[in-house]
């Protein structure tokens, strides 16, 4: 780390510290020109709380899987036949199809689900399969940066649509699609995170969901719905997913166990019509996900543990959200504006004019509090002046202290 600091770069390393029975990863940061500081309060990474990873249940499910399935759990594929090397374990696809089907009120078949190594991989697979040079893709003005990067890598043209308090400004969609067409590009895909959007935390209203699907129909484009925060709802159920509302087979839904079980599982999925799923399978360059892990997680889902865990998580994260909102009002009231998110992992802070964010960020970091600047997330320069705060991985007792440090750092960097 010292070496990195000497070279004048900024890098992250990780160190484990034991807290009770859980191993908590803290980030050690080396900042150009500063001594390395252990980050005791990490608001930066979109990580769910590691203290609530269901370690014991997962251990039991892995052991039970090995006892019940023996060597079959360790082969390239099992009962589902060789297609499991493209789509993934049929046992887990069955559970995912049943759960998504119940929630979204649609019958989902196992050939309409493809497993991926995290939804980052699922999103990469989807854009690689569905986009190419000459195609146009629309993303939200602030979005999940990796998807945007994957879209660029296909050679497709990207345009952004603004966001407001109700999510994507769907009214602007037609104009953006028209501009793509006028530039000789074929509009092909809309990528959206409609529920508890990252980074803004917004929820697309029911009416806008319907309008978005209507526009997608008019323009004959696919909609890639990133649904990875949907279950983390703290104020009752959010509006139905786009997949639930879609009658035309245009919605490709990406989802993940990362935020509701643990990101290190690297287990996620994409649901779409069987033909689209086959296109994703054809674009795949591996033999799908681990049979052992997929079967163990299928067991965890089938026995009802996932649903019970999500109910618990909602309570844990609602409490953290409330602690965060109170602390922000108390310590940052004059220098940031924010909306209390109804779900998900993030607060989206709008900085008051005159705040020099990079200076504030460096000050807070020197004191062990890490935050992410919006411009590394936004697909549009208008993202500057905003900060994404991810408080859920921070212990309850540290959230207030961390925000106090942040508030002082911002106040000292204003004007
Ligand atoms: C909007 C969005 N999509 C996808 C992901 C990727 O999650 P994973 O690859 O762990 O499933 C994230 C992670 O932060 C995210 O914020």
């Amino acid at each position: 780390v010292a070496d990195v600091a000497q070279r004048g770069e900024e890098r992250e390393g990780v160190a484990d510290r034991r807290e009770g029975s859980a191993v908590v990863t803290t980030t050690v940061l080396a900042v150009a020109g500063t001594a390395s500081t252990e980050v005791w309060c990490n608001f930066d990474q979109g990580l769910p709380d590691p203290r609530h990873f269901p370690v014991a249940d997962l251990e039991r499910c892995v052991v039970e899987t090995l006892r019940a399935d023996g060597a079959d759990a360790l082969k390239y594929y099992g009962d589902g036949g060789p297609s499991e090397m493209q789509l993934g374990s049929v046992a887990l696809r069955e559970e995912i199809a049943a759960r998504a089907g119940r929630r979204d009120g649609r019958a989902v078949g196992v050939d309409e689900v493809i497993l991926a190594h995290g939804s980052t991989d699922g999103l990469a697979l989807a854009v690689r399969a569905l986009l190419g040079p000459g195609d146009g893709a629309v993303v939200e003005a602030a979005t999940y940066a990796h998807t945007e990067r994957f879209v660029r890598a296909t050679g497709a043209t990207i345009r952004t649509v603004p966001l407001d308090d109700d999510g994507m400004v769907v009214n602007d969609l037609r104009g953006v699609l028209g501009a793509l067409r006028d530039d000789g590009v074929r509009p092909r895909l809309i990528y959206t995170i409609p529920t508890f959007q990252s980074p803004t935390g917004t929820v697309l209203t029911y009416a806008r969901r319907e309008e978005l699907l209507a526009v997608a129909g008019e323009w004959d484009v696919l909609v890639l719905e990133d649904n990875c925060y949907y279950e983390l709802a703290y104020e009752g159920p959010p509006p139905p997913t786009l997949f639930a509302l879609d009658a035309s087979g245009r919605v490709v839904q990406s989802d993940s166990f990362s935020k509701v079980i643990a990101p290190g599982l690297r287990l996620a999925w994409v649901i779409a019509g069987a033909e689209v799923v086959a296109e994703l399978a054809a674009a795949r360059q591996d033999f799908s996900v681990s049979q052992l892990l997929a079967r163990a997680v299928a067991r965890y889902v089938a026995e009802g543990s996932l649903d019970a865990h999500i109910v618990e998580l909602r309570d844990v994260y609602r409490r953290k959200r409330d602690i965060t909102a109170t602390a922000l009002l108390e310590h940052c009231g004059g220098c940031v504006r924010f909306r209390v998110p109804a779900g998900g992992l993030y607060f989206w802070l709008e900085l008051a004019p005159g705040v020099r964010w990079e200076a504030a960020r460096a000050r807070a970091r020197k004191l062990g509090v890490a935050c992410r600047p919006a411009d590394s997330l936004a697909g549009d320069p208008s993202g500057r002046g905003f900060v994404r705060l991810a408080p859920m991985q921070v212990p309850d007792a540290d959230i207030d202290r961390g925000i106090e440090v942040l508030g002082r750092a911002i106040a000292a960097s204003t004007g």
Side-chain angles (χ1 to χ4, degrees), residues 53-64 296 300 303 305 309:
F53 292 166
V55 177
D57 279 339
L58 289 176
E59 178 184 350
R60 177 179 51 72
C61 288
V62 169
V63 170
E64 286 175 7
Y300 180 78
E303 69 186 17
S305 295
H309 185 59

Side-chain angles (χ1 to χ4, degrees), residues 73-89:
L74 299 168
K75 293 179 180 167
Y76 280 116
Y77 59 86
D79 300 343
S83 68
E84 289 193 352
M85 289 168 73
Q86 290 165 334
L87 301 181
S89 150

Side-chain angles (χ1 to χ4, degrees), residues 262-324:
L265 288 172
R266 307 313 299 137
L267 270 183
W269 62 96
V270 176
I271 297 180
E275 278 173 25
V276 172
V277 164
E279 285 183 59
L280 268 62
R284 148 157 262 161
Q285 288 171 330
D286 59 23
F287 289 153
S288 193
V289 305
S290 148
Q291 277 284 333
L292 173 60
L293 261 192
R295 286 171 186 230
V297 170
R299 188 172 277 268
Y300 180 78
V301 177
E303 69 186 17
S305 295
L306 176 62
D307 287 330
H309 185 59
I310 290 172
V311 170
E312 269 176 49
L313 284 183
R314 288 187 186 130
D315 287 342
V316 170
Y317 293 153
R318 187 185 303 107
R319 191 178 64 240
K320 284 174 186 281
R321 177 201 64 173
D322 293 344
I323 293 172
T324 306

Side-chain angles (χ1 to χ4, degrees), residues 45-47 117-123 143-144 146-147 191 193 196-199 226-229 254-259 262-264 266-268 345-346 388:
Q45 227 191 351
L47 189 70
H117 302 280
S119 53
T120 309
D121 178 43
L123 293 162
T143 188
Y144 184 51
H146 293 289
T147 310
Y191 168 63
I193 312 161
F196 314 132
Q197 207 260 1
S198 175
D226 188 336
N227 204 45
C228 70
Y229 298 106
S254 160
D255 213 328
S256 175
F257 291 118
S258 284
K259 312 297 178 184
R266 307 313 299 137
L267 270 183
L345 300 184
Y346 309 114
R388 189 190 80 173

Side-chain angles (χ1 to χ4, degrees), residues 65-217:
T65 300
L66 282 168
R67 288 205 180 123
D69 300 355
D72 282 347
L74 299 168
K75 293 179 180 167
Y76 280 116
Y77 59 86
D79 300 343
S83 68
E84 289 193 352
M85 289 168 73
Q86 290 165 334
L87 301 181
S89 150
V90 75
L92 184 54
R93 281 186 287 130
E94 269 166 10
E95 293 304 327
I96 289 168
R99 254 185 121 248
R102 271 196 304 277
R103 184 194 61 202
D104 290 349
R106 280 179 68 165
V108 178
V110 285
D111 57 346
E112 294 174 319
V113 181
I114 180 167
L115 303 183
H117 302 280
S119 53
T120 309
D121 178 43
L123 293 162
L125 209 52
V127 302
R128 200 160 67 232
L130 302 174
L131 290 175
D135 290 332
V138 178
V139 304
E140 285 147 352
T143 188
Y144 184 51
H146 293 289
T147 310
E148 195 178 341
R149 188 163 55 84
F150 300 145
V151 171
R152 281 190 204 290
T154 67
T157 303
I158 298 196
R159 293 287 153 79
T160 59
V161 185
L163 289 150
D164 65 15
D165 282 355
D166 294 328
M168 182 196 283
V169 180
V170 175
N171 252 342
D172 289 10
L173 250 186
R174 284 188 184 85
V176 174
L177 293 165
L180 279 170
R181 186 196 48 203
D182 294 347
D183 289 347
V185 172
R186 182 178 71 132
R188 171 89 173 125
L189 184 92
I190 300 167
Y191 168 63
T192 176
I193 312 161
T195 314
F196 314 132
Q197 207 260 1
S198 175
T200 62
T202 50
V203 178
L204 192 70
T205 59
Y206 191 106
R208 284 192 184 181
R209 286 172 197 243
E210 293 203 309
E211 182 64 7
L212 190 154
L213 291 171
V215 176

